[in-house]
């Protein structure tokens, strides 16, 4: 087997919805080799006209809230209505904690065997910016391969949900009832980003508590200023384990899509996301060029030392370094 396919082979395979070629193209995107990056960018450019048709949904929530279980059950519901589904997982904590991605593999067993589904975890260990860049590109490849729904799982503990929010159409926050009332470490900002909140594990003894939490969160959400898109974030309850309340979430996503497509917000948001993405790449590129410049490398330590010891003003040191031609 050759290490890389030709660009034509990638394009053809993806357009023919070949999962094997799609996987290999994603591996190309995830590669850190400059030559691979070049090929990956050309590939995306060629496939761009075939992207953008999926509904992109982000799913976040604290570890253990049930994201993977939810995605497996919700995913089955989507494929049962005949839609092709791609699941991408961003987990910046997987290296440090208990390797949720390995766990996901076992928990998404059924979905993994589903012909209409494609599951791809993000590589562990990449920097956050890298993960989000690669996830975006992976999402575009999946769209070009005909996937109609993209679910992106991310752990709600840090910046990763902001990154995911910047690449999806609909952002779903999973929460638990009564697990330490003060929003379980979920920052207010994340709640504000959510287009819907689902109280998961609304089953057995927990059902009543979940309904109470729903009312509580609904009133908390009402304190936020109304959205520009005229969408009112909803709170629902569900059980990923018992597979209840899932259809309602799917219906809600469809309602959201219908509303925001009719008022134009859907397209405006995607335009803004693309523009922000470009600026993100520019900033990342400038920063990397700057810090990798041999002259900068040579004098950076010395400047740091002088700034630490108040020998030079931090701003002047920065300006001096920035005056080096990169
Ligand atoms: N009772 C009940 N348990 C659930 C439900 N959903 C998930 N669980 C359980 O909660 C535990 C954690 O579920 P996961 O799906 O792994 O949670 P996660 O949010 O993906 O966790 P991380 O990937 O580690 O962040 C598992 O033991 C699940 O079986 C639910 O709706 N009801
Ligand atoms: Mg998980």
């Amino acid at each position: 087997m050759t290490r890389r396919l030709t660009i034509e082979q990638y394009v053809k395979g993806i357009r023919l919805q070949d999962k094997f070629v799609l996987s290999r193209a994603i591996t190309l995107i995830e590669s850190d080799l400059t030559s691979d990056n070049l090929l990956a960018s050309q590939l995306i450019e060629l496939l761009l006209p075939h992207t953008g048709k999926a509904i992109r949904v982000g799913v976040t929530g604290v570890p253990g809230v049930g994201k993977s279980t939810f995605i497996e059950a919700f995913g089955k519901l989507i494929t049962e209505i005949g839609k092709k589904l791609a699941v991408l997982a961003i987990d910046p904590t997987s290296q440090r904690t208990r390797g949720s991605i390995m766990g996901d593999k076992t928990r998404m067993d059924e979905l993994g065997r589903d012909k209409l589904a494609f599951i791809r975890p993000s590589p562990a260990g990449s920097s956050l910016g890298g993960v989000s860049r690669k996830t975006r590109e992976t999402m575009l490849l999946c769209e070009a391969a005909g996937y109609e729904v993209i679910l992106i799982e991310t752990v709600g503990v840090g910046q990763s949900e902001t990154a995911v929010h910047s690449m999806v159409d609909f952002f779903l926050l999973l929460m638990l009832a009564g697990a330490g009332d003060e929003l379980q470490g979920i920052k207010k900002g994340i709640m504000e980003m959510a287009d819907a909140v689902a109280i998961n594990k609304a089953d057995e003894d927990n059902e009543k508590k979940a309904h109470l939490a729903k009312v509580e969160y609904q009133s908390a959400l009402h304190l936020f200023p109304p959205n520009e898109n005229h969408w009112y974030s909803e709170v629902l309850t569900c059980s990923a384990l018992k597979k209840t309340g899932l259809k309602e979430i799917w219906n809600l996503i469809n309602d959201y899509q219908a509303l925001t497509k009719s008022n134009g917000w859907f397209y405006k948001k995607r335009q803004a996301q693309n523009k922000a993405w470009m600026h993100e790449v520019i900033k990342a590129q400038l920063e990397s060029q700057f810090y990798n410049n041999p002259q900068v490398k040579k004098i950076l330590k010395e400047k740091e030392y002088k700034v630490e010891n108040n020998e030079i003003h931090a701003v002047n040191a920065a300006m001096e370094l920035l005056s080096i031609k990169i």
Side-chain angles (χ1 to χ4, degrees), residues 62-69 98 100 107 153 155 200-201 203 239-241:
V62 292
V65 70
K67 297 177 295 296
S68 305
T69 315
R98 52 216 152 82
S100 324
R107 276 196 295 272
E153 173 182 346
V155 182
N200 191 34
K201 307 198 187 183
D203 47 46
S239 166
L241 206 62

Side-chain angles (χ1 to χ4, degrees), residues 270-297:
R270 281 198 176 177
Q271 284 175 340
Q273 286 174 333
N274 276 346
K275 195 161 79 175
W277 185 11
M278 181 185 81
H279 286 289
E280 222 177 89
V281 175
I282 291 173
K283 280 183 213 154
Q285 199 64 30
L286 279 176
E287 188 175 316
S288 131
Q289 275 173 16
F290 174 77
Y291 284 108
N292 285 315
N293 179 286
Q295 221 185 322
V296 172
K297 277 183 167 169

Side-chain angles (χ1 to χ4, degrees), residues 41 59 64-65 110 136 154 175 195 227 230 238 252 264 292 321:
S41 294
V59 179
V65 70
E110 229 190 301
R136 269 177 216 265
T154 184
M175 296 193 80
D195 297 300
N227 291 329
H230 303 293
C238 69
L252 198 70
N292 285 315
L321 281 160

